[in-house]
Amino acid sequence: MPVGRGHVRALAVRDDMIWFDFAYLCDRPLSTIDYLTLADTHRRWTISGLPRLAEAGPDAARRFANLVDVLVDRDVHLTLVGRTSLTDTLHGAGLPPDIGRTASRLALLQQETVTTT
């Protein structure tokens, strides 16, 4: 998917649905503009491989928070797939100080969280 000056690799794209791996989407230096571009073209998102954000690192956690802001503002449906509950995912040391806001914003999305084993 072309964004900004580069490309973002999606795991799958079909109609208005897009599926990303968390690491590819949040461990790379993508900007809010990149997320806006993607959110404006795809109304239903799946993000798999969602780790505990405390283990992902501060930059990835911050990008995830920015992404959630964009998806809420664009009223995008979001499915999150990870190995822990969303509560555990958003808990831990080293997270952005406004992680509570991210949790609140996730609750606003028409979202589904899938926990895998």
Side-chain angles (χ1 to χ4, degrees):
M1 304 293 315
V3 294
R5 297 182 196 196
H7 284 80
V8 174
R9 183 185 59 180
L11 296 174
V13 177
R14 181 180 301 158
D15 301 324
D16 70 341
M17 298 184 311
I18 194 161
W19 173 20
F20 291 105
D21 178 72
F22 174 89
Y24 194 82
L25 194 61
C26 295
D27 282 343
R28 300 177 61 238
L30 296 174
S31 71
T32 301
I33 300 281
D34 296 330
Y35 296 142
L36 284 165
T37 300
L38 293 167
D40 285 343
T41 57
H42 299 88
R43 307 302 306 152
R44 295 184 293 162
W45 285 47
T46 297
I47 300 174
S48 59
L50 183 67
R52 287 188 171 109
L53 290 183
E55 297 169 5
D59 291 338
R62 213 169 357 267
R63 285 187 196 101
F64 181 72
N66 290 342
L67 175 59
V68 168
D69 283 342
V70 166
L71 297 180
V72 168
D73 291 345
R74 294 295 194 259
D75 197 28
V76 169
H77 178 276
L78 175 62
T79 300
L80 298 170
V81 181
R83 293 193 179 273
T84 63
S85 70
L86 190 56
T87 300
D88 288 343
T89 296
L90 300 174
H91 186 293
L95 294 176
D98 61 348
I99 199 67
R101 180 177 183 274
T102 301
S104 175
R105 298 214 80 194
L106 278 169
L108 295 174
L109 287 174
Q110 183 184 26
Q111 57 103 11
E112 176 178 346
T113 302
V114 178
T115 304
T116 61
T117 55

